[in-house]
């Protein structure tokens, strides 16, 4: 949806979409786009992050990618990457990363499991390739955080628009 929004208004467009869809819902999932590190997509990513003001985040990570696509920007270690997302969200509203979804399109099942174990050991977070093995560990992490309860502040803000 934000692909056709003027950059100055991405955060506001994301907020409007979230608030329009929040009433009566336990969850509103906002799919991120791009990367905070990629010079071509970081503005969109940050606009979505600030506009949606998440309660929690699931970080998508392709463990075999060492640099951004079409650029030579090195991707930082995953714990630093998680901390960056939490800091960028936290300027407006704290939002922990509660899990890691592995983009394992280039991994066989065994390698995807090995990466999940390594990521969990490095971060203390559940990690899974949801395409290969389902998203249950990530959903459980969201539920364990007490998320999914209606937030009166978000509903109230939406009512006043």
């Amino acid at each position: 949806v934000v692909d056709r929004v003027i950059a100055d208004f991405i955060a506001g467009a994301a907020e409007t979409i979230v608030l329009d869809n929040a009433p009566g819902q336990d969850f509103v999932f906002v799919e991120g786009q791009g990367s905070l590190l990629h010079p071509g997509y970081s503005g969109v990513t940050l606009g979505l992050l600030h506009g949606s003001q998440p309660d929690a985040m699931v970080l998508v990570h392709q463990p075999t990618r060492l640099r951004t696509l079409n650029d030579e920007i090195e991707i930082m270690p995953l714990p630093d990457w998680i901390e960056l997302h939490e800091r960028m969200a936290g300027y407006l509203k704290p939002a922990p990363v509660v899990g890691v979804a592995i983009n394992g399109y280039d991994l066989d099942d065994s390698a995807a499991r090995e990466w999940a174990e390594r990521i969990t050991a490095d971060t203390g977070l559940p990690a899974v390739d949801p395409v290969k093995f389902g998203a249950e560990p990530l959903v459980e992490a969201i539920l364990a955080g007490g998320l999914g309860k209606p937030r009166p502040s978000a509903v109230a803000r939406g009512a006043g628009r």
Side-chain angles (χ1 to χ4, degrees):
V1 174
V2 298
D3 291 340
R4 296 176 187 244
V5 174
I6 295 171
D8 292 350
F9 305 111
I10 291 171
E15 179 183 27
T16 297
I17 292 167
V18 168
L19 293 176
D20 286 350
N21 288 282
Q25 303 301 318
D26 289 336
F27 296 97
V28 176
F29 289 93
V30 177
E31 178 187 4
Q33 292 182 319
S35 166
L36 286 175
L37 287 182
H38 196 290
Y41 305 111
S42 59
V44 173
T45 303
L46 189 59
L48 287 171
L49 183 61
H50 284 170
S52 64
Q53 294 190 21
D55 292 317
M57 296 176 283
V58 172
L59 187 68
V60 178
H61 178 61
Q62 182 184 350
T64 57
R65 182 177 286 178
L66 304 177
R67 298 186 173 283
T68 59
L69 192 60
N70 299 324
D71 287 300
E72 289 302 312
I73 299 170
E74 187 173 329
I75 296 174
M76 63 182 64
L78 189 56
D80 296 340
W81 195 225
I82 290 168
E83 192 266 339
L84 176 66
H85 280 78
E86 291 177 342
R87 282 184 52 216
M88 295 306 291
Y91 284 112
L92 297 179
K93 180 177 171 284
V97 172
V98 298
V100 177
I102 297 171
N103 173 350
Y105 83 93
D106 57 345
L107 302 172
D108 63 24
D109 288 1
S110 177
R113 282 189 180 94
E114 289 173 16
W115 272 109
E117 290 172 9
R118 180 190 285 180
I119 289 168
T120 296
D122 288 348
T123 66
L125 298 172
V128 67
D129 182 328
V131 173
K132 288 179 173 55
F133 308 116
E136 289 79 11
L138 303 175
V139 173
E140 289 171 6
I142 292 168
L143 294 173
L147 305 171
K149 297 176 182 157
R151 296 182 309 156
S153 62
V155 174
R157 281 188 312 163
R161 278 189 297 137

